[in-house]
């Protein structure tokens, strides 16, 4: 559906050469909700502008639905962009137009007949939950309502791809969840491919199927959301996953709080059906050792549940090795975070 091959974008500021995107290779399948996460300056916004042809790569190619966007020019590029819509962080609504007029605007530019525009606007207003607000101006709307208008406008010409550039970062947490649920519903109903640019791991966790982590213009880690959450490889990925950690997780506690407990601390990581296994009871029965639960948490992602559990046990070296082997055999990730 979307394929980036060796894509780089270099900007020149005087004698300085700034690589905003460096040699990115990426594939996004039809119907996926794909997250691209990174902090400010990582290159996310430049990357999304390369996807819709607003920026031309310095090298490499961008292909969408088999069409090379990089090589498209003039009318060919304009027609391609009609199938690649955008939702913006700060809404970008026309303040002198009503909700209906904002949604109709892109169809008017595309030359859609008036009768079809009226029908499509009514359909979209119902889809995004703005019934009764058709004639309101943006100044009379809440942030969430403005973003619903932005989403409806982006869907007006029946795009194949919806690009969301920090579409929820200007919203409060409750409204963010509502907008994410709307995007998830749109994806499920129409099989629309959605690419989300964000710096918030909550957004990725909530609705994305796959995610790429960007740092300094490069993709440093990529994969299924559940796998990335349960086994982050890069320091920046672990930092993002840590955004969702309970501040009272054992790794953030003062070591003095458990320093008087002899023994080891083990962190267990569960995914999918493994979260239902009676791990602590099984280990206790097998080894005859008391396992103290220090902390536990469960996190729901679009692909399923993953959980983490911190256990304290006073075991011999041999017993500890056997315990870890049993956990691995049960497909439960484990790491000794403190040796006794």
């Amino acid at each position: 559906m979307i394929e980036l091959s060796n894509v780089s974008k270099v900007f020149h500021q005087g004698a300085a050469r700034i690589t905003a995107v460096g040699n990115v290779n990426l594939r996004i399948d039809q119907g996926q909700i794909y997250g691209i996460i990174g902090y400010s300056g990582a290159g996310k916004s430049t990357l999304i502008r390369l996807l819709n042809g607003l920026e031309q790569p310095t090298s490499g190619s961008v292909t969408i639905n088999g069409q090379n966007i990089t090589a498209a020019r003039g009318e060919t590029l304009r027609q391609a962009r009609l199938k690649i819509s955008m939702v913006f962080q700060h809404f970008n609504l026309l303040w002198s137009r009503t909700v209906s007029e904002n949604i109709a605007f892109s169809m008017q530019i595309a030359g859609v007949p008036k009768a079809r525009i009226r029908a499509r606007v009514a359909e979209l207003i119902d889809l995004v939950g703005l019934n009764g607000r058709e004639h309101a101006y943006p100044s009379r709307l809440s942030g969430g309502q403005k973003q619903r208008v932005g989403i409806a406008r982006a869907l007006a010409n029946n795009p194949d791809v919806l690009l969301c550039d920090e579409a929820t970062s200007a919203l409060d947490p409750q409204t963010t969840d509502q907008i994410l649920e709307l995007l998830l519903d749109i994806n499920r109903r129409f099989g629309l491919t959605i690419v989300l640019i964000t710096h918030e791991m909550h957004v990725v966790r909530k609705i994305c199927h796959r995610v790429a982590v960007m740092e300094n213009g490069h993709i440093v880690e990529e994969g299924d959301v559940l796998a990335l959450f349960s086994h982050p490889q890069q320091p920046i990925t672990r930092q993002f996953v840590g955004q969702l950690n309970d501040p009272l997780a054992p790794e953030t506690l003062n070591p003095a709080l458990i320093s008087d407990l002899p023994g080891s601390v083990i962190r267990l990581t569960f995914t999918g059906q493994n979260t239902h296994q009676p791990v602590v009871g099984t280990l206790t029965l097998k080894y005859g050792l008391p396992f103290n639960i220090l902390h536990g948490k469960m996190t729901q992602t679009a692909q399923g549940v993953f959980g983490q559990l911190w256990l304290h046990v006073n075991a011999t070296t041999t017993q500890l090795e056997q315990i870890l082997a049993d956990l691995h055999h049960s497909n439960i990730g484990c790491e000794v975070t403190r040796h006794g």
Side-chain angles (χ1 to χ4, degrees):
M1 172 58 174
I2 301 174
E3 188 167 358
L4 283 74
S5 300
N6 302 315
V7 170
S8 294
K9 179 64 179 179
V10 178
F11 294 100
H12 296 275
Q13 292 184 353
R17 188 175 185 272
I18 301 170
T19 301
V21 174
N23 198 38
V24 166
N25 291 279
L26 199 62
R27 178 179 176 83
I28 301 172
D29 292 335
Q30 169 70 39
Q32 276 187 340
I33 302 180
Y34 196 100
I36 299 174
I37 190 167
Y39 291 116
S40 297
K44 309 184 304 297
S45 293
T46 300
L47 185 63
I48 205 170
R49 289 170 65 85
L50 292 168
L51 291 179
N52 60 14
L54 291 176
E55 293 280 0
Q56 288 293 313
T58 305
S59 60
S61 64
V62 178
T63 304
I64 298 180
N65 269 347
Q67 182 176 13
N68 188 342
I69 301 298
T70 309
R73 298 290 185 273
E75 181 62 19
T76 302
L77 180 58
R78 192 182 77 84
Q79 290 298 323
R81 282 178 178 161
L82 287 176
K83 292 299 182 180
I84 309 169
S85 285
M86 189 95 156
V87 179
F88 303 91
Q89 176 181 358
H90 296 297
F91 321 124
N92 286 16
L93 302 180
L94 299 169
W95 295 89
S96 61
R97 289 175 175 250
T98 64
V99 167
S100 293
E101 291 167 345
N102 265 282
I103 297 171
F105 185 65
S106 62
M107 290 184 283
Q108 293 168 345
I109 292 176
V112 177
K114 289 183 178 180
R116 283 178 55 194
I117 290 176
R118 285 195 295 271
R120 182 63 173 155
V121 168
E123 177 185 342
L124 289 167
I125 284 175
D126 183 62
L127 175 67
V128 301
L130 286 174
N131 294 296
R133 306 296 287 165
E134 297 92 332
H135 305 297
Y137 287 90
S139 60
R140 304 300 299 272
L141 302 177
S142 67
Q145 290 172 331
K146 290 173 188 172
Q147 198 56 287
R148 289 174 186 272
V149 177
I151 292 170
R153 178 185 58 188
L155 296 175
N157 286 309
N158 296 297
D160 297 323
V161 178
L162 184 64
L163 306 177
C164 300
D165 190 3
E166 300 280 10
T168 60
S169 62
L171 306 175
D172 63 76
Q174 182 177 1
T175 306
T176 290
D177 282 347
Q178 293 169 355
I179 294 298
L180 293 177
E181 287 291 345
L182 174 60
L183 290 173
L184 190 58
D185 180 57
I186 290 167
N187 170 262
R188 288 169 175 166
R189 286 198 201 188
F190 308 114
L192 184 65
T193 304
I194 300 176
V195 181
L196 286 168
I197 298 293
T198 185
H199 65 274
E200 300 172 301
M201 205 61 177
H202 166 73
V203 172
V204 171
R205 177 191 66 80
K206 184 83 173 177
I207 67 170
C208 292
H209 303 125
R210 290 183 72 85
V211 60
V213 182
M214 287 195 75
E215 185 176 28
N216 297 324
H218 298 273
I219 291 179
V220 297
E221 192 164 353
E222 192 271 350
D224 290 341
V225 169
L226 191 58
L228 188 136
F229 265 79
S230 56
H231 301 290
Q233 300 299 309
Q234 298 298 319
I236 189 171
T237 310
R238 290 194 289 270
Q239 190 173 348
F240 274 120
V241 172
Q243 289 181 359
L244 302 177
N245 279 351
D246 189 317
L248 295 181
E251 67 266 29
T252 64
L253 288 176
N254 186 331
L257 294 177
I258 55 173
S259 62
D260 60 338
L261 294 176
S264 303
V265 175
I266 310 171
R267 180 175 62 204
L268 280 56
T269 301
F270 310 80
T271 57
Q273 291 301 313
N274 288 338
T275 57
H276 302 298
Q277 294 187 41
V279 174
V280 177
T282 300
L283 292 174
T284 300
L285 288 173
K286 181 171 182 178
Y287 293 98
L289 295 170
F291 286 81
N292 301 318
I293 298 175
L294 299 177
H295 183 80
K297 63 178 181 178
M298 302 283 282
T299 300
Q300 179 71 46
T301 75
Q303 292 186 312
V305 176
F306 89 92
Q308 290 186 315
L309 186 68
W310 283 260
L311 299 178
H312 166 263
V313 61
N314 190 9
T316 66
T317 301
T318 300
Q319 287 174 320
L320 187 60
E321 290 175 353
Q322 292 173 340
I323 290 167
L324 297 178
D326 285 347
L327 291 169
H328 283 301
H329 183 72
S330 299
N331 295 317
I332 295 172
C334 55
E335 178 186 358
V336 179
T337 62
R338 194 194 77 174
H339 287 273

